[in-house]
Amino acid sequence: MTRKKIPSIDELRDYREKQEAYLQDCIKNHKTFVITGPKFQGENIWVAKSTLPLMEAAKEVGASFEEIWQLCRKLATLTHAPITKKI
């Protein structure tokens, strides 16, 4: 089994900024924005709102990026809001 690369804070920030710029461009220019599944394995971790702040905090306190990344992976699998109401 190969180990997946843990992204740096700059890589996370750049990825999130590019995604936000694309979305804003679609809105501004009335383009169609297609919601797709993940483009690569672990993308849901990259786009989770908690990942970037946790990785930045890890750098501030000197925590292991690998441990924080594992935490972010767990959080990404656990946080889910249902989109349909069960009756």
Side-chain angles (χ1 to χ4, degrees):
M1 183 166 103
T2 61
R3 289 184 71 169
K4 302 295 180 206
K5 179 182 173 276
I6 297 173
S8 70
I9 294 170
D10 291 332
E11 288 173 324
L12 284 170
R13 192 175 291 121
D14 289 344
Y15 180 78
R16 302 269 313 260
E17 287 172 358
K18 286 178 185 175
Q19 290 295 95
E20 182 64 25
Y22 172 67
L23 178 60
Q24 292 303 319
D25 178 57
C26 289
I27 292 169
K28 181 180 176 183
N29 297 313
H30 306 288
K31 295 179 183 177
T32 303
F33 180 78
V34 179
I35 298 172
T36 63
K39 296 174 189 74
F40 55 89
Q41 187 175 5
E43 183 184 23
N44 61 331
I45 305 166
W46 285 57
V47 297
K49 298 282 185 194
S50 59
T51 301
L52 186 58
L54 285 172
M55 295 294 276
E56 289 172 337
K59 183 178 180 182
E60 295 273 330
V61 299
S64 166
F65 282 123
E66 188 169 312
E67 288 177 343
I68 299 300
W69 186 251
Q70 294 301 321
L71 173 64
C72 292
R73 286 182 61 194
K74 275 287 193 203
L75 289 173
T77 62
L78 298 176
T79 53
H80 171 71
I83 58 172
T84 59
K85 182 179 178 181
K86 292 185 179 180
I87 299 175

